[in-house]
């Protein structure tokens, strides 16, 4: 029986919390800690009569290492599940390594202020050395390997769907279907409709930073950079239909090409509708996607945070979103000397997710694997001290739990390939 400390209480957290409550044989106690404690209390109210997991709540500022360490010492969790903002990954990792607690997050570290001169210097160096320009990468988090190893605990990076399940799909494909994987295309399709002209389906700030930044893919040992939204393909997604998808940089390419150096090319595509792209371009052109503070009257504001405050909260989209997501990986490689193509994917229905836990499918597809990652560490089924990405563990128990906890996956042989 394990104790889990959940940091954050937004869209993804609300699903992870629901799933922790469903898995009460593993999680005997959960503390929900976030900036707005009323949201944590509402979650406790919602689930406490439906689970034997004992739930407590507390207000916390994840920017304060002191507060995090105090809470860890008081609650004494086995696992800390970070489903808040990636700005806090480093502080939370430090607190976990120093106090021998397993750590999990769902997005690679990026700083809140990308103009911070110290961070900027390291960033410019990384752009030159590695060749990709996204604000997020794994280098700093990976540098905590020895600290976690010496503490005898695990940091599991990127435990949502993508990154997360997509990493496990690659490990599963390699274990069961391929002697050698040459090409991987990760396709993230949201065929859902929430009825708003413009809304993001997870944290607005992180989503817009990710999508508006220059795109990259990995080919023959190098990153290839192209302008944002400049590579477009149409794909006919199983159970969703034809959608336009655009090449993006995504963090799992960084870890997967390191852990499977045989992969010759890896690309990531996400679907977007015309209305989303037009709004995003317009907001970018007027400067509202900037994260540098500007003076407004007597106050300083951060434009992208001001924009977020005006937009629909992604965690409220559940009741109005209809349609399905389809996220998966297309593999090309060899088995027993024969060329082989397979597609592993999950389809998730927004309204079914809403009926079950009160959230849309993007939060659902992230929150379920976050709970699974926590459970595999808590039960010791995944056991290695250090800092790892999900593809570095046995994929089988994770794949079994996806089926059990609401994200069944499918495999199709000889799918249509992305040109
Ligand atoms: P939300 O904005 O809905 O939730 C963020 C939560 O963090 C909120 O509860 C917020 O509190 C809390 N928070 C923010 N600042 C602080 C702070 N200083 N101290 C304590 N708590 C704080 O985001 P999502 O749920 O949509 O996304 C959560 C994470 O999941 C993000 O990192 C996102 O990038 C990642 N993600 C990963 C995916 C994957 O597949 N791997 C897919 C989708 C998202 P408050 O309520 O006060 O605002």
């Amino acid at each position: 029986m394990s104790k889990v400390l959940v940091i954050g209480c937004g869209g993804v957290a609300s699903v992870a919390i629901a799933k922790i409550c469903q898995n009460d044989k593993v999680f005997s106690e959960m503390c929900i800690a976030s900036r707005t404690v009323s949201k944590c209390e509402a979650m406790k109210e919602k689930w406490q009569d439906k689970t034997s997991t004992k739930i407590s709540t507390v207000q916390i500022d994840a920017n304060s290492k002191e507060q995090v360490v105090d809470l860890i010492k008081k609650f004494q969790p086995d696992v800390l599940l970070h489903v808040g903002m990636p700005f806090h990954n480093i502080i939370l990792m430090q607190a976990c390594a120093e106090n021998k607690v397993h750590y999990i997050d769902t997005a690679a570290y990026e700083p809140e202020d990308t103009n911070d001169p110290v961070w900027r210097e390291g960033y410019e160096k990384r752009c030159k050395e590695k060749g990709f320009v996204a604000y997020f990468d794994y280098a700093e988090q990976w540098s905590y390997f020895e600290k976690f190893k010496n503490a005898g605990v695990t940091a599991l990076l990127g435990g949502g769907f993508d990154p997360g399940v997509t990493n496990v799909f690659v490990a599963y494909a390699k274990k069961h279907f391929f002697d050698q994987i040459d090409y991987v295309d990760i396709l993230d399709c949201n065929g859902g409709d929430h009825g708003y002209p413009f809304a993001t389906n997870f944290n607005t700030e992180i989503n817009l930073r990710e999508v508006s930044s220059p795109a990259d893919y990995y080919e023959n040992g190098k990153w290839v950079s192209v302008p944002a939204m400049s590579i477009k393909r149409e794909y006919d997604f199983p159970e969703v239909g034809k959608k336009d998808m655009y090449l993006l940089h995504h963090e799992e390419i960084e870890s997967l090409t390191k852990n499977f150096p045989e992969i010759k090319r890896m690309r990531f595509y996400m679907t977007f509708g015309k209305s989303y792209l037009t709004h995003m371009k317009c907001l970018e052109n007027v400067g509202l996607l900037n994260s540098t503070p500007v003076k407004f009257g007597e106050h300083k504001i951060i434009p992208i945070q001001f924009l977020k405050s005006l937009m629909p909260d992604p965690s409220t989209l559940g009741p109005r979103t209809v349609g399905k997501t389809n996220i998966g990986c297309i593999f090309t490689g060899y088995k027993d000397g024969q060329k082989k193509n397979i597609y592993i994917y999950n389809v998730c229905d927004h309204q079914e997710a809403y009926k079950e836990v009160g959230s849309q499918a993007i939060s659902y597809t992230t929150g379920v694997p976050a709970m699974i990652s926590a459970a595999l560490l808590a039960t010791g089924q995944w056991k290695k001290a250090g800092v790892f990405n999900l593809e570095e563990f046995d994929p089988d128990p994770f794949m079994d739990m996806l089926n059990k906890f609401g994200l069944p996956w499918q495999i199709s042989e000889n799918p249509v390939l992305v040109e």
Side-chain angles (χ1 to χ4, degrees):
M1 297 296 269
S2 298
K3 290 167 83 170
V4 57
L5 171 57
V6 177
I7 303 287
C9 197
V12 172
S14 65
V15 177
I17 290 163
K19 291 286 162 178
I20 285 168
C21 292
Q22 281 180 15
N23 198 4
D24 51 8
K25 286 202 172 61
V26 168
F27 298 106
S28 52
E29 276 188 62
M30 163 169 54
C31 176
I32 311 169
S34 191
R35 181 169 58 185
T36 310
V37 75
S38 56
K39 292 187 188 171
C40 310
E41 282 157 5
M43 277 289 128
K44 177 179 171 181
E45 197 60 31
K46 183 171 175 181
W47 296 110
Q48 67 181 355
D49 295 337
K50 301 179 184 75
T51 180
S52 65
T53 306
K54 193 175 149 214
I55 307 172
S56 57
T57 61
V58 68
Q59 200 272 334
I60 199 167
D61 178 3
N63 280 307
S64 161
K65 187 173 162 193
E66 202 186 341
Q67 286 189 26
V68 177
V69 169
D70 282 353
L71 177 58
I72 287 179
K73 286 193 189 311
K74 204 164 150 211
F75 182 62
Q76 302 210 331
D78 300 289
V79 184
L80 182 150
L81 177 57
H82 174 33
V83 272
M85 301 296 283
F87 311 145
H88 306 128
N89 289 7
I90 302 297
I91 286 177
L92 295 170
M93 284 181 79
Q94 288 170 348
C96 283
E98 287 163 22
N99 292 280
K100 300 187 179 1
V101 175
H102 297 306
Y103 165 90
I104 296 151
D105 63 36
T106 59
Y109 172 71
E110 61 185 276
E112 190 157 14
D113 177 8
T114 51
N115 287 306
D116 173 62
V118 178
W119 178 82
R120 197 87 211 172
E121 201 186 317
Y123 167 76
E124 307 286 352
K125 191 165 166 267
R126 184 258 280 169
C127 290
K128 273 200 205 110
E129 279 172 12
K130 286 204 179 169
F132 67 86
V133 298
Y135 288 139
F136 48 91
D137 74 336
Y138 281 127
E140 190 164 353
Q141 292 188 260
W142 283 337
S143 75
Y144 281 81
F145 185 90
E146 287 301 324
K147 288 203 167 70
F148 274 83
K149 189 166 181 236
N150 294 338
V153 287
T154 311
L156 203 49
L157 309 184
F161 203 106
D162 46 337
V165 176
T166 46
N167 301 56
V168 176
F169 283 172
V170 177
Y172 190 78
K174 175 70 185 182
K175 181 173 176 184
H176 297 284
F177 296 101
F178 289 96
D179 297 325
Q180 180 189 318
I181 298 176
D182 288 332
Y183 303 112
V184 184
D185 280 324
I186 302 171
L187 310 190
D188 178 333
C189 164
N190 182 5
D193 181 6
H194 44 59
Y196 286 118
F198 186 55
T200 64
N201 46 41
F202 68 93
N203 184 278
T204 303
E205 195 176 348
I206 303 300
N207 178 285
L208 290 172
R209 278 194 195 203
E210 172 180 306
V211 173
S212 60
S213 98
D216 301 282
Y217 61 97
Y218 187 87
E219 191 163 38
N220 298 325
K222 288 197 190 95
W223 290 92
V224 182
S225 285
V226 295
M229 303 297 160
S230 60
I231 297 185
K232 173 184 165 187
R233 299 279 184 273
E234 186 189 66
Y235 199 79
D236 194 357
F237 289 92
E239 299 184 47
V240 174
K242 283 187 183 161
K243 293 276 170 199
D244 288 338
M245 59 184 193
Y246 297 81
L247 188 128
L248 292 187
H249 176 85
H250 229 241
E251 61 254 62
E252 60 264 55
I253 304 181
E254 194 189 352
S255 73
L256 285 164
T257 52
K258 172 176 160 257
N259 290 319
F260 296 90
E262 72 198 50
I263 294 174
K264 294 192 178 85
R265 188 189 64 210
M266 185 175 281
R267 304 179 294 193
F268 182 98
Y269 288 93
M270 192 177 271
T271 62
F272 297 100
K274 276 204 175 69
S275 180
Y276 179 99
L277 294 177
T278 309
H279 278 81
M280 189 182 76
K281 196 70 214 160
C282 174
L283 293 164
E284 186 179 21
N285 287 342
V286 296
L288 273 165
L289 302 193
N290 287 342
S291 52
T292 309
V294 292
K295 204 153 181 269
F296 181 71
E298 292 307 302
H299 305 280
K300 271 199 164 174
I301 59 166
I302 296 174
I304 194 168
Q305 290 183 355
F306 172 67
L307 172 65
K308 177 178 180 245
S309 74
L310 302 176
M311 286 183 50
D313 179 349
S315 69
T316 63
L317 299 177
R320 49 186 298 146
T321 308
V322 293
K324 293 177 182 180
T325 62
N326 178 326
I327 317 175
C329 306
I330 298 178
F331 300 92
T332 302
Y334 286 87
K335 179 78 179 171
D336 301 328
Q338 299 289 312
K339 197 162 185 198
K340 193 173 166 83
N341 304 315
I342 65 162
Y343 187 10
I344 310 183
Y345 61 89
N346 160 262
V347 173
C348 185
D349 186 291
H350 284 284
Q351 278 303 300
E352 278 176 23
Y354 180 66
K355 271 185 230 135
E356 187 197 325
V357 297
S359 301
Q360 35 89 351
I362 302 300
S363 301
Y364 192 90
T365 52
T366 313
V368 171
M371 180 284 288
I372 293 173
S373 301
L376 290 173
L377 291 185
T379 55
Q381 283 171 276
W382 278 4
K383 200 173 169 65
K384 271 198 281 198
V387 179
F388 299 97
N389 296 81
L390 277 73
E391 66 272 23
E392 295 176 80
F393 291 86
D394 179 7
D396 293 356
F398 191 102
M399 295 293 274
D400 289 346
M401 285 181 79
L402 285 174
N403 287 330
K404 191 170 160 206
F405 283 97
L407 292 178
W409 40 273
Q410 305 177 50
I411 297 183
S412 78
E413 304 257 349
N414 298 317
V416 173
L417 302 179
V418 181
E419 62 175 86

